Amino acid sequence: MTQVDQYVRSLERSRASLLRTDRPRTFAMADREWDLLDGVFAPPFSPSTGVAMELLGLTGPDREPWRGSLLEVGCGTGVIAVSAALAGCDRVTALDISEQAVRNTGMNAARHGVADRVKVLHSDLFDGLAGGDGADGPADGDTDGRAGDERFDTVYWHSNFVLAPSAYRYETVHERAYVDPGYRAHRRFLAEAPSYLAEGGRVLLHFSDRGDLASLHAIAEECGRELRVLRGRSEREGGDAVEHTLFEIATAG
């Protein structure tokens, strides 16, 4: 399937998810109940959130306790952020460009008793963080306090991995969870994410073969980054077998 076909089908999935008459107010995942607000990416209609939970070791055979701090980009309903807090993270910051998603994550943090450890911010990638300054972001190796306390042991993004044409303009904020025009958001993430790491921290990116892996590698090289495969899993979705991959983003050296 071509990238054009992928982005058209992804936009169709986005629109269908918003209009479905069976869209629930709550859903079950990882043995817990979660709130779902209108306009927010719906985990019941896609297996990708469940796959992300397994790849991150929050569920499944590779389940493991979490420690330290987490920054999640694109938190949606908050399943990952809240689950990480429940798994042992003592500080979680969850970001989303959708104000409705920010509310949704806050609701689920309160529902599961971790609102004291999960901070939710309205943010376009890192812009809402202390020290975030738009497209350029903090410089690598910056230790002058620009980012203040906004440094984390893990920075994670389950990306909108489908490549859309650079000229595409979003019709709804919901589409931002599905496609990335020109991979502009991916370029920013690869360039800026390491600046928000604590010493010894890691940057993680959830991608899939519905995206353009060659373009991602090319952008990583331009940004001086390496993509290291940590885990992968194949899952059927909409009649297709989709290969999900969890990458660690390292500074090339």
Side-chain angles (χ1 to χ4, degrees):
M1 184 178 298
T2 68
Q3 285 300 311
V4 171
D5 291 334
Q6 289 286 16
Y7 107 83
V8 169
R9 290 182 61 182
S10 291
L11 293 177
E12 290 172 350
R13 284 192 289 269
S14 171
R15 292 158 189 157
S17 174
L18 289 176
L19 297 174
R20 285 180 62 154
T21 58
D22 61 343
R23 186 179 173 92
R25 294 296 181 184
T26 62
F27 64 95
M29 179 169 285
D31 298 323
R32 296 185 177 95
E33 194 80 5
W34 306 87
D35 290 298
L36 174 63
L37 296 181
D38 291 340
V40 180
F41 180 86
F45 300 153
S46 169
S48 62
T49 302
V51 171
M53 294 277 280
E54 288 199 24
L55 291 178
L56 290 168
L58 292 168
T59 60
D62 295 318
R63 188 169 184 166
E64 57 190 27
W66 277 54
R67 297 290 182 266
S69 55
L70 167 69
L71 173 65
E72 183 187 13
V73 176
C75 55
T77 55
V79 170
I80 299 296
V82 171
S83 295
L86 291 168
C89 273
D90 54 27
R91 180 169 63 96
V92 178
T93 298
L95 311 176
D96 207 291
I97 198 169
S98 164
E99 293 180 345
Q100 190 79 326
V102 170
R103 287 190 287 271
N104 206 154
T105 295
M107 290 173 63
N108 281 319
R111 173 188 274 269
H112 295 292
V114 292
D116 60 329
R117 284 183 282 140
V118 179
K119 178 172 67 173
V120 194
L121 299 174
H122 180 229
S123 181
D124 182 357
L125 285 175
F126 306 106
D127 289 350
L129 295 172
D133 60 354
D136 293 329
D140 284 348
D142 179 14
T143 58
D144 65 2
R146 285 179 65 197
D149 293 329
E150 303 295 330
R151 295 184 184 273
F152 304 86
D153 296 303
T154 301
V155 177
Y156 169 74
W157 182 31
H158 179 169
S159 79
N160 50 351
F161 36 68
V162 176
L163 176 63
S166 296
Y168 183 75
R169 296 294 178 264
Y170 293 114
E171 295 183 8
T172 66
V173 69
H174 190 262
E175 291 182 350
R176 292 178 179 269
Y178 286 78
V179 302
D180 180 13
Y183 273 176
R184 288 188 289 271
H186 283 80
R187 182 178 295 276
R188 279 196 62 191
F189 183 81
L190 290 171
E192 298 175 28
S195 300
Y196 293 95
L197 286 180
E199 184 176 354
R202 58 183 184 170
V203 177
L204 304 179
L205 174 68
H206 180 158
F207 202 74
S208 97
D209 62 359
R210 280 180 167 164
D212 188 332
L213 187 56
S215 292
L216 183 70
H217 275 284
I219 293 169
E221 184 175 357
E222 291 169 14
C223 294
R225 310 296 185 213
E226 294 179 357
L227 304 177
R228 300 174 181 171
V229 176
L230 293 184
R231 291 174 181 160
R233 177 182 158 181
S234 182
E235 184 75 17
R236 296 204 68 82
E237 183 174 359
D240 301 325
V242 181
E243 186 68 31
H244 294 263
T245 303
L246 182 66
F247 289 108
E248 181 171 8
I249 309 302
T251 299

